[in-house]
């Protein structure tokens, strides 16, 4: 059974700090990795995806992938109160199953002023 | 990314009745999926909606309870049949065109009373 585990929360950081969100996955054959943000009562929205080992940066967000360790993380720099949400890590097995995502349980992030 | 229109956005239904949720994508996509998000939980995949053929269901989900149609590349429906209060959840339609993005409709918040 494919599993995706996220670091337990909730996570609370002060405004301007770096928030670090972590995720491990069990299926070594996984191809693509996604971070979604979900505000209360809303649907998930894609923040970033990554499929190559290393870092990928987009504005204040950096995704890091280490396939050998089966580990993916999301760093949020200069955290803002508007970043307060639930962050979902999702893994795509790829191949003929692309787009079919297994989600972690989510980490609740609170950025306090 | 494509835009997904999902309706209804919310509904309150009597137990024993059925509700059909519609998902319309603004451009052709190859893969469409239906997820459920129970209160306080992460997303769980119900099934893959296959164009012109029967949906592929995940473990724990059956066609009699969650019949799915996908008559073309841009439209799918999910029916929640013979509802009980345990079916109260957010139901989300997802679509994918390639291996780098899976995007979501705004969700249908279902309450069964």
């Amino acid at each position: 059974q494919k599993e995706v585990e996220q670091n337990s929360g909730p996570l609370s950081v002060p405004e301007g700090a770096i928030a670090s969100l972590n995720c491990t996955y069990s299926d070594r054959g996984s191809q693509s990795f996604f971070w979604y943000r979900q505000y209360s009562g809303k649907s998930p929205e894609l923040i970033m995806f990554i499929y190559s080992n290393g870092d990928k940066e987009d504005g204040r967000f950096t995704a890091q992938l280490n396939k050998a360790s089966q580990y993916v993380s999301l760093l949020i720099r200069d955290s803002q109160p508007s970043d307060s949400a639930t962050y979902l890590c999702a893994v795509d097995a790829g191949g003929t199953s692309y787009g079919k995502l297994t989600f972690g349980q989510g980490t609740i992030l609170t950025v306090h002023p | 990314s494509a835009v997904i229109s999902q309706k209804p956005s919310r509904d309150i239904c009597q137990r024993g009745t059925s509700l059909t949720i519609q998902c319309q994508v603004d451009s052709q996509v190859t893969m469409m999926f239906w997820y459920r998000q129970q209160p306080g939980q992460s997303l769980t995949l119900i099934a893959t909606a296959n164009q012109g053929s029967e949906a592929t269901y995940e473990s724990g989900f059956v066609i009699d309870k969650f019949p799915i149609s996908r008559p073309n590349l841009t439209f799918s429906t999910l029916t929640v049949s013979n509802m009980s209060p345990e079916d109260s959840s957010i139901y989300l339609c997802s679509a994918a065109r390639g291996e780098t993005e899976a995007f979501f409709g705004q969700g249908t918040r279902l309450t069964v009373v």
Side-chain angles (χ1 to χ4, degrees), chain A:
Chain A
Q1 183 176 352
K2 301 174 185 176
E3 293 183 351
V4 178
E5 297 285 339
Q6 295 185 235
N7 54 325
S8 59
L11 178 65
S12 180
V13 300
E15 184 174 357
I18 295 176
S20 177
L21 303 163
N22 303 315
C23 176
T24 59
Y25 58 95
S26 64
D27 182 4
R28 188 170 288 277
S30 298
Q31 298 292 315
S32 304
F33 307 86
F34 302 83
W35 283 100
Y36 287 85
R37 177 176 62 198
Q38 186 175 28
Y39 293 112
S40 180
K42 303 294 185 181
S43 67
E45 56 178 323
L46 181 67
I47 299 175
M48 293 193 70
F49 65 87
I50 186 169
Y51 45 83
S52 299
N53 277 326
D55 295 357
K56 180 181 179 181
E57 186 174 316
D58 183 2
R60 296 186 296 111
F61 299 95
T62 299
Q64 300 173 316
L65 174 61
N66 184 325
K67 288 188 176 181
S69 300
Q70 296 175 240
Y71 174 91
V72 59
S73 66
L74 179 71
L75 300 178
I76 307 174
R77 293 182 300 280
D78 188 23
S79 296
Q80 301 297 309
S82 59
D83 295 326
S84 298
T86 298
Y87 289 80
L88 299 165
C89 172
V91 176
D92 185 338
T96 56
S97 298
Y98 78 85
K100 181 176 168 179
L101 303 179
T102 301
F103 283 84
Q105 73 273 32
T107 299
I108 298 172
L109 172 66
T110 301
V111 180
H112 52 87

Side-chain angles (χ1 to χ4, degrees), chain B residues 28-34 47-56 68-77:
Chain B
Q28 290 188 349
V29 292
T30 46
M31 307 295 286
M32 293 184 74
F33 306 92
W34 288 96
T48 302
N50 300 309
Q51 191 233 337
S53 64
E54 190 173 290
T56 304
I68 289 170
S69 76
R70 189 180 173 194
N72 56 52
L73 287 174
T74 63
F75 185 78
S76 179
T77 66

Side-chain angles (χ1 to χ4, degrees), chain B residues 13 15-19 65 80-84 87 110 112:
Chain B
C13 300
R15 68 180 66 199
T17 62
S18 299
L19 175 71
K65 178 66 175 177
V80 185
S81 302
N82 188 25
M83 288 184 284
S84 67
D87 295 320
L110 170 63
V112 183

Side-chain angles (χ1 to χ4, degrees), chain B residues 12 25 31 44 49 54 64 66 73 83 85 93 97 103 113:
Chain B
I12 301 173
V25 190
M31 307 295 286
T44 300
E54 190 173 290
D64 289 346
F66 298 102
L73 287 174
M83 288 184 284
C93 170
R97 263 194 299 250
F103 38 93
V113 297

